[in-house]
Amino acid sequence: MKELIRIGTRGSRLAMWQAHEVQKQLEAAFEGLKTEVVVIQTKGDKILDVALSKIGDKGLFTKEIEQALLDGGIDLAVHSLKDMPTELPEGLQLAGVLPRGEVRDVFLSRDGRRLHDFSGNDKVGTSSLRRQSQLLNHYPYLQLVDIRGNVQSRIQKMQDGYCEGLIMAGAGIQRLGLEDLITEYLPISTMLPAVSQGAVCFQIREDDEEIWPFVEAISDGSTWQRVMAERAFLRTLEGGCQVPIACYTELHDGLMEIQGLVASLDGTKLLREKCICMPDEATELAIELAEKLLASGGEALLKEIRGA
């Protein structure tokens, strides 16, 4: 059995929180195990002045870490699962997830106003087309501005006057202990989350059988079932950061509810469907839900967006 596990991660405070949480849980589950966190800079960490949708998002925050995993420089990669492309490099696989954190997006404002108090004179920062389209669907008068950088730098830009408000993932704000800055949590009915938002995943080499007992011991089965269904939805739509797609699953009384969304960039067209199924059918039904959205106008919407 392995005596040392090297954990690869990005270097932001949030990424380090995720890696250290995995490190803590591994060491708690296996007495005497040694772990080491290895920081790796990715392309997404270097390019901060271009919108995500204009860069291309396949492996933007993962490719360099995955290469280190393939090369044997690390034994385990820790990622925010919503950053992971649906197609992984040959020789690598997802092997588990921590229990899911907050799934909702949150609104932060400089002066404590809530989103519905904003006017057409106010700027709201977001780096996500998914958030942009849903915001404009509910608040078409808002001025949306692109904003990049880690959690703290985006908040600082807002406080320096770049924008009056920010939309961000609630899980990241909570994990950094910045809940006091949250003006409001946006309901799922207003802002359907990104696929696997709030989930931290582990990635390993397919041929590394020694690592399996470690990741299985700290992986959460319920979260895994939910996020795999959401990723099947995304894979069917061939989506990512370049298109406004959302999907969210939730367990109610032993049943799985799946909600999916495809929208136009300006928010004027928003297709949203849901279904309820047994948990072991979730992946299959998520694919069917995606196909239903495609057939009801989603395919034309996505073609238009990709063409633009």
Side-chain angles (χ1 to χ4, degrees):
M1 185 171 278
K2 288 182 182 290
E3 296 181 355
L4 171 67
I5 294 179
R6 296 159 299 171
I7 302 167
T9 178
R10 296 167 62 199
S12 71
R13 269 185 62 194
L14 181 56
M16 292 297 286
W17 181 96
Q18 294 174 168
H20 286 139
E21 183 65 20
V22 171
Q23 182 182 39
K24 180 174 70 176
Q25 293 202 25
L26 283 171
E27 291 180 353
F30 297 90
E31 186 177 355
L33 176 68
K34 294 181 180 179
T35 61
E36 175 187 350
V37 173
V38 180
V39 176
I40 300 166
Q41 192 174 42
T42 68
K43 182 179 179 181
D45 297 313
K46 299 173 185 177
I47 304 175
L48 298 176
D49 56 351
V50 181
L52 290 175
S53 57
K54 295 178 181 177
I55 302 172
D57 62 320
K58 289 192 175 180
L60 188 61
F61 295 107
T62 60
K63 187 175 180 181
E64 290 81 2
I65 299 173
E66 290 175 326
Q67 191 58 54
L69 191 55
L70 287 167
D71 293 342
I74 57 175
D75 306 296
L76 171 70
V78 175
H79 307 279
S80 176
L81 185 50
K82 71 183 180 67
D83 291 336
M84 297 294 288
T86 54
E87 300 296 329
L88 302 181
E90 186 176 351
L92 298 182
Q93 63 181 344
L94 296 180
V97 286
L98 294 181
R100 197 169 194 172
E102 175 62 63
V103 299
R104 290 171 294 176
D105 288 298
V106 294
F107 182 62
L108 287 68
S109 67
R110 274 193 318 183
D111 55 12
R113 281 182 299 157
R114 295 166 69 90
L115 191 53
H116 64 73
D117 295 322
F118 269 42
S119 72
N121 297 319
D122 296 309
K123 296 183 178 71
V124 175
T126 175
S127 58
S128 161
L129 297 183
R130 171 189 62 84
R131 292 175 183 138
Q132 170 187 307
S133 62
Q134 292 185 84
L135 272 176
L136 290 175
N137 181 261
H138 292 278
Y139 308 99
Y141 50 82
L142 286 178
Q143 295 186 53
L144 301 186
V145 293
D146 192 74
I147 190 166
R148 290 286 316 283
N150 61 38
V151 171
Q152 300 95 304
S153 65
R154 278 182 275 171
I155 291 173
Q156 190 60 54
K157 286 179 182 178
M158 178 188 71
Q159 293 173 339
D160 290 342
Y162 176 74
C163 55
E164 284 72 46
L166 276 177
I167 304 288
M168 304 180 81
I173 300 293
Q174 288 183 351
R175 287 164 179 164
L176 293 176
L178 301 174
E179 296 100 322
D180 290 348
L181 298 178
I182 296 173
T183 304
E184 62 180 312
Y185 288 83
L186 301 181
I188 300 296
S189 58
T190 299
M191 185 67 65
L192 199 63
V195 164
S196 58
Q197 185 158 302
V200 176
C201 71
F202 331 125
Q203 188 180 29
I204 64 172
R205 290 183 294 275
E206 289 180 344
D207 61 359
D208 188 356
E209 295 182 4
E210 279 189 289
I211 198 75
W212 267 110
F214 297 99
V215 294
E216 285 182 328
I218 64 170
S219 182
D220 183 72
S222 175
T223 297
W224 178 260
Q225 197 170 40
R226 292 172 62 192
V227 297
M228 287 301 103
E230 292 171 24
R231 283 174 63 79
F233 175 92
L234 183 66
R235 185 167 54 250
T236 305
L237 295 175
E238 298 180 355
C241 295
Q242 298 178 56
V243 286
I245 290 172
C247 183
Y248 175 61
T249 55
E250 193 166 10
L251 284 167
H252 297 289
D253 300 322
L255 294 175
M256 184 85 79
E257 180 179 271
I258 309 170
Q259 298 186 56
L261 175 147
V262 178
S264 61
L265 294 178
D266 62 5
T268 57
K269 299 175 183 175
L270 193 148
L271 306 175
R272 184 166 178 161
E273 296 282 354
K274 71 177 181 179
C275 66
I276 296 175
C277 62
M278 298 299 294
D280 59 1
E281 301 172 327
T283 296
E284 180 183 348
L285 268 292
I287 292 171
E288 290 185 11
L289 190 68
E291 291 172 342
K292 182 177 181 180
L293 282 169
L294 287 172
S296 62
E299 186 170 10
L301 265 182
L302 294 175
K303 281 183 179 179
E304 182 182 331
I305 292 166
R306 291 182 178 118

